[in-house]
Amino acid sequence: MCLAVPSKIIDINDTVATVDVDGVTRKTSILLLEDVKIGDYVIVHAGFAISKLDEKMALQTLEDLRNILSADSSQA
Amino acid sequence: MSLKYIDEYRDSDLAKMLVKKIQSVNCKDLRLMEVCGTHTMSIFKHGIRTILPKEITLLSGPGCPVCVTAQKDVDAFVEFARQNNVILTTFGDLIKVPGSGSSLAKEKAEGADVRIVYSVFDAVDIAKQNPDKEVVFCAVGFETTIPTLAATILSAREDGVKNFTIYSANKLTPPALAALMETKGVQIDGFILPGHVSVITGTNAYRGTFEKYNIPSVITGFEPIDILKAILILVQQNATGLPALVNAYPRAVSENGNLKAKTIMNQVFKLCDASWRGIGQIPTSGMELKKEFAAFDAAKKFNMDMPEVSEPAGCACGEILMGLKTPKACKLYKKKCTPMTPVGPCMVSSEGSCAAFYRYS
Ligand code: SF4
């Protein structure tokens, strides 16, 4: 039921945003989010944007993971 | 176009390194439960079960909304569909779930006005377009869905919509985890906690359960890297004997969750006891409409009070949801029960454990 793919906000009209997922656009309510703007990536669940994605965190998590794993393999 | 935060989290080299790392941790037999149905689907889709060391068993927990819906609630939906003046609206998975005597699909085939919607907002639109009908929405969902219902009801009230109601069979995750931990025979060595429920609730919502049961718990997302990372953390915690509550999905989940969504949810709903399939009543594990929103409560408007009924004989959905059995241990699996002729909801929903086993094995 959850759409796990991040959607990009490309237009906002009052409480409804248009989001794009890989070229497919869809209307999404933004009633449940504070301060969303065009260009943000959001998680959409059943027609509602429920979370903004934190870009810095997304990249940080991957980098941390890579660092931990490669440190291990160089030790091995 | 590359999909932001998707390709990176499906990186196969990184996945291989993670699997190698998981294999390198010395562990006894471990039973890890993914609580969320979307995790179950993703785990099967990406073949994660097949690449894990044989010591690790993944169990699918009570996090597929259709699978945990009590039989009496399915019966209530069927009753609504049978009312003359009602348009019954629902998410798609529910319609094939057998109730005690019928299902929504059967009622629809016999002429009932049952419509599948993508969002509860669509149900309100249907109500606006059909002022002479009563539109009832079957609300089965977790913390992720409940705020969407609340926001919709607030805007329906503002728009003066009088012919829209919901039948609430909503459920909350942390009380179910606690109930599992209290159930005799249940043996779980770690929880993979639901990503999108946690988006709303925040990490803190699990703090109580974690502290009481001291069980390794990791919140994570739905891509292979997310899931493998969660498994690695759980395996490591078991190996060191140091359980922790970890947020491995910080790009979407914060300590306190989505405050606006929680405020809206608590404005419209309040805690109540709820019946879970195969588990029974769990105190304060559901959410019902507050008194001031009674006009949107289908159970009240239609005086619908369904008796508790027993679940289909032989169906082991309840035990499967608690990690006590796997689908293959159910006598009806692949025999009397298939996706074409489902006996229980776990074979109906695409997020259900039995349906996933059937499809991928
Ligand atoms: S296989 Fe069918 S009958 Fe058996 S537990 Fe699953 S849904 Fe129920």
Side-chain angles (χ1 to χ4, degrees):
Chain A
M1 224 165 54
C2 302
L3 190 63
V5 180
S7 312
K8 186 180 183 177
I9 296 196
I10 53 172
D11 190 30
I12 296 177
N13 188 350
D14 196 19
T15 60
V16 178
T18 307
V19 296
D20 172 290
V21 183
D22 207 15
V24 181
T25 58
R26 209 166 208 172
K27 296 268 187 258
T28 290
S29 166
I30 48 171
L31 280 170
L32 298 177
L33 280 186
E34 219 99 57
D35 327 310
V36 267
K37 50 182 195 315
I38 291 175
D40 283 346
Y41 281 83
V42 292
I43 291 170
V44 176
H45 171 77
F48 284 76
I50 55 166
S51 173
K52 260 201 289 193
L53 277 174
D54 185 329
E55 186 159 3
K56 250 177 53 203
M57 277 295 190
L59 299 173
Q60 186 70 46
T61 304
L62 285 168
E63 203 183 303
D64 291 351
L65 197 57
R66 280 209 175 88
N67 287 341
I68 294 168
L69 291 169
S70 57
D72 284 354
S73 54
S74 60
Q75 268 168 26
Chain B
M1 188 184 98
S2 92
L3 281 169
K4 194 115 179 172
Y5 314 126
I6 291 294
D7 297 343
E8 302 94 315
Y9 280 88
R10 289 188 184 165
D11 182 308
S12 62
D13 289 338
L14 199 52
K16 277 184 204 134
M17 284 161 85
L18 274 164
V19 173
K20 231 172 102 189
K21 180 80 184 154
I22 291 169
Q23 285 163 343
S24 76
V25 182
N26 236 332
C27 67
K28 57 172 177 71
D29 285 349
L30 283 184
R31 296 160 59 80
L32 308 179
M33 175 175 275
E34 87 268 2
V35 176
C36 168
T38 313
H39 274 145
T40 303
M41 279 201 332
S42 184
I43 285 168
F44 275 100
K45 192 173 130 207
H46 296 290
I48 289 177
R49 277 167 183 264
T50 57
I51 52 175
L52 291 177
K54 63 174 187 336
E55 287 81 17
I56 299 176
T57 307
L58 293 181
L59 308 162
S60 308
C64 141
V66 168
C67 304
V68 298
T69 300
Q71 191 80 6
K72 69 162 188 170
D73 291 325
V74 180
D75 289 345
F77 299 146
V78 167
E79 268 318 302
F80 283 118
R82 285 177 175 165
Q83 311 276 324
N84 254 333
N85 205 29
V86 165
I87 301 175
L88 191 77
T89 52
T90 171
F91 293 140
D93 275 359
L94 202 58
I95 87 159
K96 280 204 300 201
V97 178
S100 301
S102 179
S103 69
L104 292 180
K106 213 160 140 199
E107 295 300 317
K108 187 175 164 72
E110 281 163 18
D113 196 344
V114 178
R115 302 188 196 179
I116 293 172
V117 292
Y118 162 68
S119 157
V120 58
F121 242 120
D122 301 341
V124 177
D125 282 342
I126 294 173
K128 286 177 180 165
Q129 288 153 16
N130 296 275
D132 52 334
K133 298 267 188 176
E134 283 293 331
V135 174
V136 177
F137 179 74
C138 308
V140 299
F142 290 100
E143 290 89 336
T144 333
T145 311
I146 306 172
T148 73
L149 301 170
T152 304
I153 285 170
L154 287 176
S155 74
R157 186 171 72 168
E158 215 174 285
D159 294 347
V161 179
K162 298 257 186 292
N163 60 332
F164 167 74
T165 53
I166 67 164
Y167 179 90
S168 177
N170 294 307
K171 307 220 162 36
L172 301 173
T173 307
L177 302 183
L180 277 191
M181 297 306 292
E182 296 287 344
T183 303
K184 227 181 117 210
V186 168
Q187 193 223 324
I188 300 165
D189 302 304
F191 283 122
I192 300 173
L193 295 172
H196 291 160
V197 161
S198 308
V199 156
I200 303 292
T201 65
T203 313
N204 280 339
Y206 305 99
R207 195 78 57 197
T209 321
F210 170 74
E211 275 163 12
K212 184 156 181 205
Y213 300 101
N214 218 9
I215 178 164
S217 307
V218 180
I219 296 168
T220 201
F222 300 93
E223 297 306 327
I225 301 298
D226 292 316
I227 293 169
L228 289 170
K229 184 182 170 194
I231 292 171
L232 174 62
I233 297 172
L234 291 172
V235 169
Q236 285 173 328
Q237 286 187 16
N238 272 283
T240 58
L242 296 171
L245 170 60
V246 175
N247 176 10
Y249 195 29
R251 65 187 186 278
V253 173
S254 62
E255 275 299 294
N256 295 316
N258 181 336
L259 293 177
K260 187 174 182 191
K262 284 200 283 191
T263 306
I264 290 175
M265 171 164 89
N266 292 323
Q267 188 184 342
V268 178
F269 289 95
K270 66 174 181 9
L271 290 176
C272 66
D273 299 344
S275 294
W276 295 60
R277 179 173 294 256
I279 303 177
Q281 281 261 329
I282 304 178
T284 60
S285 68
M287 289 206 109
E288 63 184 10
L289 288 162
K290 284 184 171 169
K291 247 205 196 105
E292 59 216 270
F293 294 96
F296 293 97
D297 191 332
K300 293 214 169 84
K301 195 168 187 176
F302 292 84
N303 230 337
M304 188 76 74
D305 191 12
M306 301 301 285
E308 292 284 348
V309 281
S310 53
E311 283 147 16
C315 172
C317 275
E319 287 156 288
I320 291 171
L321 296 173
M322 291 192 277
L324 294 168
K325 262 190 183 167
T326 62
K328 285 176 181 160
C330 170
K331 285 196 206 78
L332 306 182
Y333 175 75
K334 270 194 176 172
K335 296 191 180 91
K336 213 175 131 199
C337 184
T338 69
M340 300 307 290
T341 55
V343 175
C346 305
M347 187 59 96
V348 174
S349 171
S350 53
E351 297 185 355
S353 187
C354 300
F357 262 83
Y358 190 95
R359 188 158 162 211
Y360 291 99
S361 61

